[in-house]
Every structure is written in structure tokens, then in C-alpha cells.
Amino acid sequence: YLMYEKLISESLKAKRFSHSPYSKFRVGVALLTNKGKIYYGANVECSSYSLTICAERVAAVKAITDRQKKFKAVAISSDSSEFAFPCGACRQFLSEFSDNMDVILVRSKTKYQIYKLQNLFPHKFKLK
């Protein structure tokens, strides 16, 4: 779990890059690939809310465009006093690349919960 400690810490740092002038709800993500590389993401809001992109998808797109398509874990932090679960769109998006990844919900370096993505999103949409 040493790598997960690093992911947790890095997700907290990634919140600094959030662009959330409307909701003031900062989210930071650290995404770990099966090859051990970490990609960072933060939510980016737009005045047309439907164009807003979540931190999880920012990190995943960065990884995918770097030819990394297998994910081991994602750490998600926010400024909320509650654990911030990934939205349905992010659950679907991440499940395209790994059903079995760990989802680490972070409130602080010592307060976190770990779930399997397949338990958070048991019935993903598939074309096959």
C-alpha cells in the first residue's frame, strides 16, 4: 500500500489545479496505470455546465493519449467533508479500461476508503 499512500497524497495536491469558479467544488485525482505510472487530473468547469469535465476523465484522457490504457487504481479527493464518489459518467468511462481497479476515496492522508470499481458500477454499458 505504499504506492496507494503516494496516490492519496498526490490526489490531494492535484486539487490545486482545479478550475471550479462556479461550484467551488475542487476535485483532484491521481490515476495509477498497471505499469506504475501516475497521471494527474483536476476538474475543469465551464459556464455551460454540460461542457465541464471531471478530474477522473482528465487524468484518464491524459493516460490514454500517452498510450496507457490499463489502470490499477485511482485516488479521488475533494474539499468536501464527505467522501466524493465518482459520478456515473466517470464510472462508465473508467470501466472501459479496467473493471477491477481500486477506487480510493480520500478526505485526508489518513482518512480514505477503498472500493473496487466493479462494486461501485456493477452493470456497465457494453456494445458486445
Side-chain angles (χ1 to χ4, degrees):
Y1 281 94
L2 289 175
M3 182 56 81
Y4 283 9
E5 288 177 12
K6 179 176 171 105
L7 275 183
I8 289 165
S9 178
E10 295 299 314
S11 76
L12 291 163
K13 290 178 189 174
K15 288 189 301 183
R16 294 180 297 188
F17 305 109
S18 171
H19 176 76
S20 48
Y22 305 103
S23 71
K24 310 287 190 244
F25 188 78
R26 298 184 315 153
V27 179
V29 161
L31 176 68
L32 177 65
T33 69
N34 283 359
K35 293 184 178 180
K37 189 160 182 183
I38 297 174
Y39 290 86
Y40 305 92
N43 57 321
V44 180
E45 293 180 351
C46 180
S47 60
S48 176
Y49 284 135
S50 65
L51 299 177
T52 294
I53 186 166
C54 300
E56 296 90 334
R57 285 181 282 148
V58 168
V61 167
K62 288 165 73 175
I64 293 161
T65 57
D66 197 27
R67 298 180 305 271
Q68 302 293 312
K69 295 183 181 178
K70 303 258 187 234
F71 306 143
K72 182 175 181 176
V74 62
I76 305 165
S77 64
S78 74
D79 291 332
S80 174
S81 61
E82 302 293 322
F83 290 108
F85 285 82
C87 73
C90 287
R91 293 178 200 202
Q92 174 67 40
F93 196 93
L94 292 172
S95 75
E96 297 280 325
F97 303 96
S98 176
D99 288 342
N100 203 34
M101 70 187 299
D102 287 331
V103 177
I104 308 163
L105 306 179
V106 179
R107 286 185 21 212
S108 71
K109 286 184 180 181
T110 59
K111 292 182 183 175
Y112 58 89
Q113 296 177 345
I114 302 175
Y115 297 88
K116 288 290 187 187
L117 179 58
Q118 63 190 5
N119 293 337
L120 293 178
F121 198 62
H123 304 289
K124 74 177 186 176
F125 174 79
K126 325 182 225 189
L127 289 177
K128 297 178 186 177

